[in-house]
Amino acid sequence: MSSAPNTYDAEPIPDTARAEVDRLLSTGDLFRYTAKDASPVARLETAFAEMIGAKYALAVASCSAALFLSMKALDLKPGARVLIPAFTFAAVPSAVVHAGCVPVLAEVGPNYRLDMEDFAARLDGTIDAVLISHMRGHTSDMDGIMELAAAAGVPVIEDAAHSLGTTWNGRNIGTLGRVGCFSFQSYKLVNAGEGGILVTDDPDLIARAVIMSGAYEHNWKKHPVLLDHFATWQNRLPLYNTRLNNLSAALVLAQLAEVPRRVRDGRAHHDYVAGRLNTSPWLDVPAPLAPESRAPDSIQFNLIGLSDDEVTAFAAAAARREVPVQVFGMSTDNARAFWNWGFLGDQPDLPQTRAMLMRACDVRLPARLTRADLDYTADALLAAIAEVMSEKTQAVA
Ligand SMILES: *Cc1c(COP(=O)(O)O)cnc(C)c1O
């Protein structure tokens, strides 16, 4: 009999990491600035920039650190207002607060993407920057966003933490805005435990970010691309010390070759399960926008026409079949429900985003799953919804 897949286990780190990790352990060379050049962190920056199609990259401790440094590198002043989607992870408004700025939340629709009308209305003269969080890799209308932001004269930061491998009109997500930020935390496509990287084509921005990440004295000379801008900013910026270490970089470097497979399999798995779930009248996997090609490691779907009690019963019925379903807005203290971001103080309600969160389900689908795992998952979810809604189905029939 088939059993439920464990969707939280990670993939093993490729063997190619071992020689480099052994070398680092035997020499103790863990700090990115100890070696004169070509440290694993510097090599990661070169390789990642090339892979993603950006001029410059800076590897740091987390995506949150990358977002924080992006806002600092853009020289956003204390109190600057940063427009973000109301559907994101609590770390995103937290990074805005950490940078001394004020998050302004925009409505997100039932397809998990920014409501462009609401976005345009909120992008008034009081907004200083836009931070687009591609939550679970779902990509909002980047053409519309870039156009509106350009017209408003404000920079766009991309939170691509969970979007490695996603493209928009064939271009990598994270390279559309002035700066893009990625995560190497264990639940993302590349797993270093923790870590992040920011990419940009802007030489002034990268120089400022490098120095503020903790390139004290002349350590910026050990970065892969040398620019006059580094000397310009020497001694003029605070050092926030949020660097990546060589061990983490070695783990990421060994996984870059895995990215195309994880993207391909993740997309195929998602689309297969989506096709099966969409056969139920009670389940809806929203379609992507046309220019978007996503690299999912999870699936999101909406429960259609269910009451709160039925939503709870569905999650319980799936859990009995050992498929954990998180309904974003119904689980206690969920970090992706904006009303739990008490650190922001009083916020206006966002009824559309709230309604979506109360019916949107989240199920992990890592790229290493087999077809049998996918069928187990889809069967369990379809059986759970049939069990809960069978009375209604009979009433309709
Ligand atoms: C994981 C995640 C983050 C935070 O990344 P860290 O590297 O853990 O700081 C931010 N935004 C989104 C959309 C994420 O999925």
Side-chain angles (χ1 to χ4, degrees):
M1 211 184 91
S2 64
S3 57
N6 181 335
T7 54
Y8 281 88
D9 283 356
E11 276 188 35
I13 305 301
D15 264 343
T16 49
R18 278 177 210 282
E20 181 69 350
V21 168
D22 271 351
R23 185 184 74 78
L24 295 170
L25 295 184
S26 64
T27 59
D29 178 16
L30 304 182
F31 181 49
R32 70 165 297 169
Y33 294 133
T34 302
K36 270 233 283 297
D37 55 16
S39 72
V41 178
R43 281 189 278 122
L44 166 61
E45 289 167 347
T46 302
F48 195 89
E50 192 189 306
M51 180 181 88
I52 207 82
K55 283 194 178 138
Y56 316 110
L58 169 66
V60 291
S62 66
C63 180
S64 297
L67 293 169
F68 164 78
L69 286 174
S70 299
M71 286 177 269
K72 287 294 180 189
L74 284 165
D75 204 18
L76 296 178
K77 299 290 188 248
R81 287 161 58 83
V82 179
L83 189 57
I84 68 171
F87 175 43
T88 183
F89 185 53
V92 175
S94 301
V96 176
V97 170
H98 187 195
C101 305
V102 178
V104 178
L105 309 186
E107 285 270 34
V108 168
N111 67 351
Y112 321 129
R113 291 155 177 91
L114 272 167
D115 176 320
M116 290 305 292
E117 214 172 293
D118 189 70
F119 177 80
R122 288 180 204 260
L123 185 53
D124 57 16
T126 73
I127 297 296
D128 299 289
V130 164
L131 196 177
I132 301 300
S133 186
H134 306 294
M135 188 56 173
R136 290 289 189 272
H138 297 289
T139 309
S140 297
D141 174 9
M142 286 306 292
D143 296 342
I145 288 165
M146 295 310 296
E147 210 168 289
L148 287 164
V154 300
V156 174
I157 301 164
E158 285 183 87
D159 166 21
H162 219 145
S163 290
L164 183 57
T166 296
T167 58
W168 179 264
N169 283 323
R171 268 179 70 183
N172 279 310
I173 283 301
T175 65
L176 304 173
R178 273 274 285 284
V179 52
C181 303
F182 297 84
S183 175
F184 303 129
Q185 185 268 341
S186 290
Y187 294 159
K188 314 300 158 110
L189 200 82
V190 170
N191 165 24
E194 303 281 1
I197 198 163
L198 70 81
V199 299
T200 183
D201 286 346
D202 181 332
D204 203 50
L205 193 153
I206 195 72
R208 288 173 56 89
V210 163
I211 288 178
M212 285 190 279
S213 74
Y216 60 94
E217 296 163 355
H218 287 188
N219 278 316
W220 48 262
K221 290 179 179 160
K222 294 173 180 169
H223 277 260
V225 187
L226 287 184
L227 299 159
D228 295 339
H229 303 75
F230 286 117
T232 307
W233 290 108
Q234 180 82 57
N235 295 344
R236 291 178 57 199
L237 296 167
L239 304 168
Y240 293 110
N241 278 17
T242 182
R243 296 170 298 249
L244 193 70
N245 69 77
N246 282 339
L247 270 179
S248 304
L251 301 182
V252 176
L253 273 167
Q255 289 172 71
L256 293 185
E258 306 292 314
V259 168
R261 174 189 54 85
R262 292 179 187 171
V263 169
R264 184 194 63 220
D265 291 355
R267 186 175 299 154
H269 292 174
H270 173 277
D271 293 351
Y272 176 71
V273 174
R276 293 210 51 203
L277 299 189
N278 277 334
T279 60
S280 163
W282 316 108
L283 307 181
D284 180 50
V285 182
L289 301 183
E292 175 191 353
S293 195
R294 211 152 61 88
D297 59 7
S298 63
I299 189 164
Q300 288 71 45
F301 54 94
N302 295 324
L303 299 171
I304 306 297
L306 274 69
S307 67
D308 283 357
D309 285 348
E310 287 163 344
V311 170
T312 307
F314 166 71
R320 278 200 303 281
R321 292 167 172 86
E322 293 177 73
V323 173
V325 174
Q326 170 181 251
V327 184
F328 293 106
M330 299 280 267
S331 64
T332 311
D333 296 331
N334 193 297
R336 299 147 203 91
F338 63 84
W339 53 88
N340 289 327
W341 304 339
F343 54 88
L344 294 183
D346 280 343
Q347 290 287 314
D349 195 23
L350 295 140
Q352 197 182 321
T353 309
R354 178 182 290 272
M356 177 275 286
L357 290 166
M358 297 306 279
R359 291 295 176 271
C361 301
D362 192 24
V363 172
R364 289 176 56 79
L365 285 183
R368 64 176 166 71
L369 296 192
T370 62
R371 181 54 72 96
D373 292 334
L374 301 177
D375 278 324
Y376 184 98
T377 305
D379 288 343
L381 294 171
L382 290 167
I385 196 71
E387 176 189 315
V388 172
M389 302 307 284
S390 58
E391 277 173 37
K392 270 207 183 169
T393 311
Q394 277 155 19
V396 171

